Amino acid sequence: MLFSIGEKLTWCRHFGIAHSYQSCPPFRKLEALVSGSGTMKYSVIPWGIFLVCSQEVVIPATLQKCCDLQELTSCLLPQEELDIRPKVSSLLGKLVNYTNLTQGVKEHEEAENTDGSKKKVSKSPSMGTLMGVYLPCMQNIFGVILFLRLTWMVGMAGVLQSFLIVLLCCCCTMLTTISMSAIATNGVVPAGGSYFMISRSLGPEFGGAVGLCFYLGTTFAGAMYILGAIEILLTYIVPQAAIFHPSGAHDASSAMLNNMRVYGTVFLILMAVVVFVGVKYVNKFASLFLACVVISILSIYAGAIKSIFDPPVFPICMLGNRTLSRDHFDVCAKTVVKDNITVASKLWELFCHTTNLTTEHCDEYFLMNNVTEIAGIPGAASGILIDNLWSNYLEKGEILERAHQPSVDVAGQKNNLHLYVLSDIATSFMVLVGIFFPSVTGIMAGSNRSGDLKDAQKSIPVGTILAIVTTSLVYFSCVLLFGACIEGVVLRDKYGDAVNKNLVVGTLSWPSPWVIVIGSFFSTCGAGLQSLTGAPRLLQAIAKDNIIPFLWIFGHGKANGEPTWALLLTALIAELGILIASLDMVAPILSMFFLMCYLFVNLACAVQTLLRTPNWRPRFKYYHWALSFLGMSICLALMFISSWYYALVAMLIAGMIYKYIEYQGAEKEWGDGIRGLSLSAARYALLRLEEGPPHTKNWRPQLLVLLKLDEDLHVKYPRLLTFASQLKAGKGLTIIGSVIQGNFLETYGEAQAAEQTIKNMMEIEKVKGFCQVVVANKVREGIAHLIQSCGLGGMKHNTVVLGWPYGWRQSEDPRSWKTFIGTVRCTTAAHLALLVPKNVSFYPSNHERYNEGNIDVWWIVHDGGMLMLLPFLLKQHKVWRKCKMRIFTVAQMDDNSIQMKKDLATFLYQLRIEAEVEVVEMVRELSHFSLYYHKIKSLNSPCHSCALQAQLVKDRHSIARLESLYSDEEDEGDPVPENIQMTWTKEKCDAEKRNRGSAVGSFRDLITIKPNQSNVRRMHTAVKLNEVIVNRSHDARLVLLNMPGPPKNTDGDENYMEFLEVLTEGLERVLLVRGGGREVITIYS
């Protein structure tokens, strides 16, 4: 906005400053400097000042020369505004000097090396794409599965299906990386990595649920790496270190599991101690672990190339077409020659249980088939690839057989099965997917280090995508090389029993199998250490966000921020994985957790892309919502392909965490996509609702509850909220409104405090809705504003709940009851329904239960069905559920009460409402009370036949003719009866006519209440009607009555209040109901 120097106070009024520009010395200097350059104008923007002249623009550098810019700014903006509207220089300085100090590993290491008195100056991030993203991702992706299970997977699934498994898993991670790159380049990603991205994109509920799942996945990954290290140690390095030994031929697997449990627990404790002592030791050995991985992979390629010219010698002993376990014998033959004498070999002794060459106790299969020896590693030039193309899945305990090997198919002895190489688990495509998927995880390593990167928004996408491409090529090439170089039965031999207990992938490596064995051992140990380092920090990040209250303890740690308690919990959970003791059973568990995390990363990117929120501006441009949905679909498919029951368990865990966070009410506003999605859905629904009013079948009371606050801003009648919650039962719209008297500028803070008070009370009373507090000079005006303006579009209130003005008779100030009557008039003018709970303090709380009792409805006029619908809605709540409903209707002198009761029962049956019907016969004088109510013109309802049906029940026998809608005018004369119905005898009718002059006056006159007319007779009639109601409903839990409107003449307002008091006197709980002029209940489906 531009301001002329000649206009003294324009600028001052705009900023609310009490002095003019002439009181500011810099402006006087500027006026003198540019006085000859034309009319000087200046523009104020949030971060500085630009002076615009007619001929030239004076830039800030020029301003600094001509006057003090600091002094000028202090004059332009008061001190309190400088905090929220800083100068450009200070703002840019803060942005440039911003450093993220909560990254985790690097900062903890620096903290350990820093003395208490001396603190290092934080270094600026300096890591590039190679060291910061590419290599860490490579190290995390390559792991135990590559060395221990990939050859076995190729043997079982065949080369073609193995390609498919690798393709599925790598496509999943590649699509997830594209989504992750978009999210990671849309701002700084602090500690927490994937958890931070998901929670800030999908909200605290999804973030907490998926964050904990990712934490559990990382923890179980640590357990898997430890189990892999123990398997390498006890199977291939030092088998003699086993503590438990098999007692029989079939106890080998159980003994191995127990050994893994013991050694795994020891390794876990040692690693936890290393992590506790300091992550700097983990970081120092990170390069060594990475070198082990790289050298091991290179040795595989070297061995494959060497096998073309000189295959390694690893002979396999076959009995017929069955593979024998080589660790039980030395010579692959039935007999051997010693000193020119043919004697039985060790193999003969094992199958025939004798050292002699006798065949009495020999295994039949052993006798009928020959023992042959074949090459375990034929080499890449042997053509073995064709045999390994197809799958060969086995059941648990099945013997490994070579397809084209000649054999005689006879049954052998079962007690000799331990001499063969057996399948230890049942295999299928789905099982192999679950076992292989952990070998492609680890793509989040780059995003977790974003604070250490020189240019995170460039390095994260490039480094992670290059790492996935590299690892995918390695996996594809390894599948091809394994299928082309290694014999099929050796590939299917998980533990290398056929090749003298050698690691199968090690048999192919060059120069020695020990390169792979040692390298894989150290790489798995390093991966386990990294998992135990990263998982506690992820849990600490979740705990510090305080979205899951019971995790608060894990947000604390050592003085340097090391998550000690989180590390302890991580070790305990990892111990559960160690106790499972099977790598093949732990791998699918962590696959589920990682897949769920990746699924929600894709969902977060898709939601943000489709919502097109203004803050969604990722630097990585090569993403699309369709790719994110495809990645999400692949993740979901892989979850159920690998293990449907694990998938359901993982979803159940995530769902329980989600509902817990939602129940606890995580009050976090992170600008997440789910909030934006909810906003878009709400906007769409509101626009749809604008198309027209709801059908009668969909009508339900949408409440505007008008609350009164005392001087201390406390809710005066909290039971109004209780009643609203019981009536709504969490359905539909509820708006809690209140008015504060005063000036908005002066009482804004008071209004905010009142709104918070009401929200707290709503939470206590379990009212789900919205709060609206307005400030007005007069309470009556504020209520009128609430009635007019609350709600939005089609989501507006149709019913007002208004408290009764207690003590209005004793109050010297008539404003309270005049405000009450004014509100009644406003609701009538707005065609809204009105509910007035009288004696609301006696209404039941949400903790009470009525095991018996009645809800009595006194149906004097048809008001659109409100009196029928409200008890039905109340009975949906547990407080009123066991109460019975009774409907009383008034029969006039000329009505047939028997027929009325029958018609009313039929009408209630058609409405599907269970209620007891009673017809009360009243004398002639009270007929005018009903006549006052009954002046109704045709209701503007979409269900005219329903209104006609209801009105016929009331008026079929009535002498009254309906003329206008709840008329407040005085009737012109008394109606004349046309006939006498059978429920009144002729004698009764004559007696009533004789007593008409001396009896109580017309009740109609009571309602019209003329100021110059006596009300004694009318009040006497009201007392008589009240006596009838009290007599029938004195023990009712709740009484519902039609509420007539106030007189049009305001002089009779006080008498109208007296009438309502007399009418409801002696009743403990009364609900006065006034319809809104439309049908709210229908007999049609």
Side-chain angles (χ1 to χ4, degrees):
M1 184 180 295
L2 293 177
F3 304 92
S4 173
I5 280 291
E7 296 170 334
K8 292 186 178 181
L9 296 177
T10 305
W11 157 77
C12 298
R13 283 200 302 268
H14 179 72
F15 288 102
I17 302 173
H19 55 80
S20 68
Y21 79 97
Q22 287 146 336
S23 63
C24 182
F27 276 99
R28 290 202 297 273
K29 297 177 188 177
L30 285 170
E31 187 178 17
L33 284 169
V34 296
S35 58
S37 62
T39 303
M40 185 186 76
K41 296 183 178 181
Y42 56 90
S43 172
V44 180
I45 63 173
W47 297 317
I49 311 162
F50 292 98
L51 298 184
V52 183
C53 302
S54 57
Q55 284 94 6
E56 61 179 348
V57 176
V58 185
I59 61 174
T62 310
L63 285 177
Q64 188 64 42
K65 295 177 183 177
C66 68
C67 69
D68 187 1
L69 183 59
Q70 176 70 27
E71 188 180 359
L72 178 65
T73 307
S74 63
C75 289
L76 183 64
L77 292 177
Q79 184 60 41
E80 56 269 19
E81 288 199 23
L82 282 174
D83 297 331
I84 60 174
R85 303 176 66 185
K87 294 178 296 179
V88 176
S89 57
S90 61
L91 177 73
L92 292 178
K94 290 178 182 178
L95 291 176
V96 169
N97 294 326
Y98 172 77
T99 55
N100 191 337
L101 298 177
T102 59
Q103 281 301 310
V105 175
K106 181 182 177 183
E107 286 69 24
H108 291 316
E109 181 181 347
E110 290 179 356
E112 288 181 350
N113 295 329
T114 304
D115 296 330
S117 57
K118 291 185 178 181
K119 292 188 177 180
K120 289 183 179 179
V121 178
S122 60
K123 298 178 181 178
S124 60
S126 59
M127 297 183 73
T129 303
L130 180 67
M131 297 300 296
V133 180
Y134 180 73
L135 292 180
C137 284
M138 289 266 291
Q139 186 179 359
N140 278 268
I141 292 173
F142 287 133
V144 63
I145 301 297
L146 170 63
F147 303 116
L148 294 185
R149 294 293 182 269
L150 188 58
T151 54
W152 173 72
M153 185 187 82
V154 174
M156 291 294 180
V159 173
L160 296 181
Q161 289 192 24
S162 296
F163 270 135
L164 181 59
I165 292 173
V166 175
L167 180 65
L168 273 175
C169 296
C170 291
C171 283
C172 173
T173 54
M174 178 60 79
L175 293 172
T176 304
T177 299
I178 292 173
S179 300
M180 182 198 71
S181 299
I183 300 173
T185 58
N186 193 49
V188 179
V189 179
S194 59
Y195 160 71
F196 183 90
M197 289 189 291
I198 295 171
S199 62
R200 269 56 176 182
S201 298
L202 292 180
E205 295 87 0
F206 279 109
V210 182
L212 275 185
C213 285
F214 190 58
Y215 162 74
L216 291 174
T218 307
T219 303
F220 275 101
M224 183 190 73
Y225 290 130
I226 292 173
L227 289 174
I230 300 304
E231 183 178 315
I232 294 170
L233 179 70
L234 295 181
T235 307
Y236 307 114
I237 300 179
V238 279
Q240 303 82 9
I243 300 174
F244 299 93
H245 300 279
S247 56
H250 304 288
D251 295 336
S253 64
S254 60
M256 183 63 180
L257 292 178
N258 288 330
N259 285 321
M260 294 189 74
R261 290 185 181 106
V262 173
Y263 277 98
T265 303
V266 173
F267 265 55
L268 177 63
I269 294 172
L270 290 175
M271 288 183 179
V273 170
V274 170
V275 173
F276 176 77
V277 169
V279 292
K280 58 183 178 183
Y281 300 109
V282 179
N283 290 338
K284 285 180 180 179
F285 289 103
S287 301
L288 172 64
F289 300 144
L290 180 60
C292 291
V293 173
V294 174
I295 292 172
S296 299
I297 293 173
L298 290 177
S299 71
I300 295 174
Y301 287 108
I305 295 172
K306 178 179 177 294
S307 70
I308 300 174
F309 313 103
D310 183 18
V313 180
F314 283 98
I316 304 169
C317 190
M318 306 291 297
L319 177 61
N321 64 349
R322 297 179 179 179
T323 309
L324 293 173
S325 179
R326 200 61 186 256
D327 59 336
H328 295 97
F329 56 92
D330 299 325
V331 180
C332 182
K334 292 185 179 181
T335 60
V336 293
V337 177
K338 288 186 178 180
D339 301 327
N340 294 327
I341 301 173
T342 302
V343 296
S345 66
K346 181 67 175 177
L347 200 59
W348 187 283
E349 294 179 15
L350 293 172
F351 278 97
C352 298
H353 309 290
T354 179
T355 56
N356 301 322
L357 292 175
T358 57
T359 59
E360 298 176 0
H361 304 289
C362 282
D363 187 302
E364 187 178 1
Y365 187 86
F366 177 75
L367 292 175
M368 300 296 293
N369 288 278
N370 294 325
V371 175
T372 57
E373 201 171 52
I374 61 173
I377 313 292
S382 63
I384 197 70
L385 177 64
I386 298 174
D387 295 335
N388 291 332
L389 283 177
W390 314 109
S391 63
N392 194 348
Y393 296 116
L394 301 175
E395 294 297 324
K396 183 178 181 180
E398 197 172 342
I399 300 172
L400 270 63
E401 298 179 350
R402 191 166 185 258
H404 305 295
Q405 189 79 7
S407 68
V408 179
D409 190 11
V410 294
Q413 296 177 2
K414 290 185 177 181
N415 57 355
N416 291 327
L417 286 177
H418 68 283
L419 300 174
Y420 301 104
V421 180
L422 305 176
S423 174
D424 62 333
I425 62 169
T427 54
S428 66
F429 180 83
M430 296 184 291
V431 170
L432 295 182
V433 169
I435 292 175
F436 177 75
F437 186 80
S439 64
V440 297
T441 59
I443 60 175
M444 300 290 184
S447 63
N448 290 342
R449 296 167 177 249
S450 61
D452 300 331
L453 300 174
K454 188 184 301 181
D455 186 0
Q457 300 191 358
K458 175 185 175 183
S459 297
I460 289 176
V462 173
T464 308
I465 291 174
L466 282 178
I468 290 179
V469 170
T470 304
T471 53
S472 300
L473 290 175
V474 170
Y475 284 134
F476 280 118
S477 59
C478 284
V479 167
L480 185 62
L481 290 176
F482 293 158
C485 298
I486 304 176
E487 172 63 45
V489 290
V490 179
L491 288 174
R492 292 188 288 276
D493 183 5
K494 183 185 292 185
Y495 301 108
D497 293 325
V499 286
N500 293 323
K501 284 289 184 181
N502 278 300
L503 183 62
V504 174
V505 69
T507 60
L508 182 62
S509 65
W510 180 87
S512 168
W514 286 101
V515 175
I516 291 282
V517 172
I518 301 300
S520 59
F521 176 76
F522 280 111
S523 67
T524 49
C525 289
L529 279 172
Q530 288 186 340
S531 296
L532 291 179
T533 303
R537 284 167 177 77
L538 179 59
L539 181 62
Q540 187 182 41
I542 299 172
K544 283 186 175 180
D545 271 342
N546 199 29
I547 58 174
I548 305 177
F550 65 82
L551 294 179
W552 67 271
I553 185 65
F554 301 109
H556 304 287
K558 292 195 292 186
N560 60 356
E562 193 76 15
T564 308
W565 293 107
L567 176 62
L568 181 61
L569 179 66
T570 302
L572 291 176
I573 296 175
E575 178 63 19
L576 297 177
I578 297 294
L579 293 177
I580 295 175
S582 172
L583 185 68
D584 302 318
M585 293 183 68
V586 174
I589 296 176
L590 64 100
S591 293
M592 292 303 112
F593 292 127
F594 279 120
L595 280 168
M596 184 165 291
C597 177
Y598 296 165
L599 184 150
F600 281 100
V601 169
N602 285 296
L603 176 63
C605 180
V607 168
Q608 296 279 29
T609 305
L610 290 175
L611 286 177
R612 299 177 181 176
T613 53
N615 191 54
W616 179 246
R617 303 184 300 274
R619 289 191 177 275
F620 181 77
K621 302 298 181 184
Y622 305 102
Y623 68 94
H624 193 269
W625 63 265
L627 292 177
S628 299
F629 271 113
L630 179 61
M632 193 169 62
S633 303
I634 293 176
C635 288
L636 191 63
L638 286 176
M639 287 178 68
F640 283 93
I641 284 174
S642 57
S643 178
W644 63 269
Y645 46 89
Y646 278 160
L648 292 178
V649 170
M651 288 181 171
L652 180 63
I653 292 173
M656 290 172 62
I657 298 170
Y658 178 94
K659 295 305 292 183
Y660 175 79
I661 297 173
E662 186 180 55
Y663 174 76
Q664 289 292 327
E667 297 179 358
K668 301 286 184 183
E669 182 49 61
W670 289 331
D672 51 85
I674 292 299
R675 300 293 192 277
L677 190 63
S678 301
L679 185 62
S680 297
R683 173 183 169 275
Y684 174 77
L686 284 172
L687 291 174
R688 289 289 303 273
L689 285 175
E690 284 281 18
E691 293 178 2
H695 191 273
T696 304
K697 291 187 289 186
N698 297 327
W699 194 96
R700 64 167 60 246
Q702 316 288 7
L703 300 183
L704 169 60
V705 183
L706 298 176
L707 282 186
K708 187 175 183 180
L709 304 178
D710 58 17
E711 293 80 3
D712 298 325
L713 299 180
H714 295 149
V715 178
K716 204 166 186 178
Y717 302 111
R719 284 297 165 88
L720 275 176
L721 294 174
T722 309
F723 171 71
S725 70
Q726 293 169 4
L727 182 62
K728 299 296 293 181
K731 303 294 190 299
L733 174 70
T734 303
I735 302 174
I736 310 299
S738 186
V739 179
I740 292 181
Q741 193 169 359
N743 182 276
F744 178 72
L745 295 178
E746 298 173 356
T747 58
Y748 174 74
E750 191 175 339
Q752 293 292 307
E755 186 171 335
Q756 189 58 47
T757 300
I758 294 175
K759 286 181 179 178
N760 293 339
M761 187 58 66
M762 289 171 65
E763 188 175 346
I764 293 172
E765 296 295 339
K766 294 182 172 58
V767 177
K768 296 180 179 179
F770 308 96
C771 177
Q772 182 81 39
V773 176
V774 299
V775 179
N777 292 326
K778 294 182 180 179
V779 175
R780 194 182 307 178
E781 292 177 359
I783 292 176
H785 293 159
L786 284 173
I787 291 174
Q788 293 178 72
S789 60
C790 275
L792 181 65
M795 284 294 286
K796 292 183 73 70
H797 57 280
N798 54 30
T799 306
V800 177
V801 179
L802 180 63
W804 179 260
Y806 300 100
W808 65 274
R809 286 170 170 160
Q810 294 79 20
S811 176
E812 297 178 357
D813 187 0
R815 283 183 297 179
S816 61
W817 58 269
K818 284 188 178 293
T819 300
F820 172 81
I821 296 178
T823 305
V824 176
R825 287 194 174 100
C826 285
T827 56
T828 304
H831 299 290
L832 301 175
L834 177 65
L835 306 180
V836 181
K838 198 164 180 286
N839 301 328
V840 73
S841 300
F842 295 104
Y843 277 52
S845 68
N846 286 325
H847 304 292
E848 296 181 45
R849 301 287 187 279
Y850 286 152
N851 295 322
E852 57 181 2
N854 299 313
I855 300 177
D856 286 356
V857 177
W858 283 83
W859 191 29
I860 300 174
V861 297
H862 179 64
D863 55 355
M866 283 286 290
L867 284 172
M868 309 291 185
L869 184 62
L870 291 175
F872 171 77
L873 295 176
L874 279 174
K875 286 185 66 177
Q876 306 305 306
H877 196 273
K878 55 190 176 184
V879 173
W880 305 91
R881 188 166 294 150
K882 294 186 179 181
C883 292
K884 295 181 179 178
M885 182 175 167
R886 296 191 302 183
I887 296 181
F888 297 90
T889 187
V890 178
Q892 300 176 23
M893 183 183 64
D894 347 51
D895 291 336
N896 184 340
S897 58
I898 296 176
Q899 188 63 36
M900 280 185 70
K901 185 172 183 178
K902 187 183 297 184
D903 291 343
L904 182 55
T906 303
F907 180 55
L908 291 175
Y909 177 78
Q910 291 173 340
L911 288 175
R912 290 91 63 200
I913 291 178
E914 295 181 3
E916 181 183 337
V917 177
E918 292 190 29
V919 177
V920 179
E921 294 179 342
M922 304 296 291
V923 295
R924 170 66 180 168
E925 285 75 5
L926 293 182
S927 68
H928 293 284
F929 176 72
S930 180
L931 179 63
Y932 168 75
Y933 275 112
H934 272 81
K935 287 189 172 184
I936 308 173
K937 53 186 172 183
S938 298
L939 293 173
N940 183 18
S941 167
C943 183
H944 296 292
S945 57
C946 178
L948 181 61
Q949 173 91 4
Q951 198 57 54
L952 283 175
V953 174
K954 291 293 299 170
D955 301 333
R956 179 178 296 173
H957 314 285
S958 178
I959 60 172
R961 291 296 172 260
L962 311 181
E963 297 173 358
S964 62
L965 178 67
Y966 285 74
S967 174
D968 299 325
E969 298 179 1
E970 187 178 359
D971 299 324
E972 296 299 326
D974 296 337
V976 180
E978 296 175 358
N979 57 357
I980 300 171
Q981 298 295 341
M982 58 188 298
T983 53
W984 289 79
T985 64
K986 186 172 176 55
E987 291 77 15
K988 275 187 180 182
C989 186
D990 292 337
E992 290 300 328
K993 288 179 179 179
R994 285 194 299 270
N995 296 331
R996 184 176 302 171
S998 58
V1000 181
S1002 173
F1003 200 75
R1004 174 200 60 193
D1005 296 334
L1006 169 64
I1007 306 304
T1008 58
I1009 310 178
K1010 290 187 177 182
N1012 59 354
Q1013 189 176 6
S1014 172
N1015 294 298
V1016 176
R1017 291 179 302 164
R1018 304 183 191 92
M1019 288 302 170
H1020 186 63
T1021 307
V1023 169
K1024 192 167 184 180
L1025 177 59
N1026 174 258
E1027 287 177 357
V1028 174
I1029 296 174
V1030 171
N1031 184 44
R1032 297 297 186 98
S1033 303
H1034 64 276
D1035 58 347
R1037 298 296 188 184
L1038 182 64
V1039 177
L1040 284 81
L1041 282 172
N1042 286 109
M1043 178 182 179
K1048 290 186 175 179
N1049 189 346
T1050 58
D1051 294 336
D1053 287 353
E1054 189 168 0
N1055 292 327
Y1056 172 72
M1057 294 295 296
E1058 287 287 355
F1059 157 67
L1060 293 179
E1061 285 280 14
V1062 170
L1063 185 63
T1064 57
E1065 193 173 358
L1067 298 173
E1068 187 178 11
R1069 302 179 194 89
V1070 183
L1071 181 62
L1072 297 172
V1073 181
R1074 183 166 173 79
R1078 62 159 294 165
E1079 285 295 318
V1080 300
I1081 197 167
T1082 177
I1083 62 174
Y1084 298 107
S1085 62

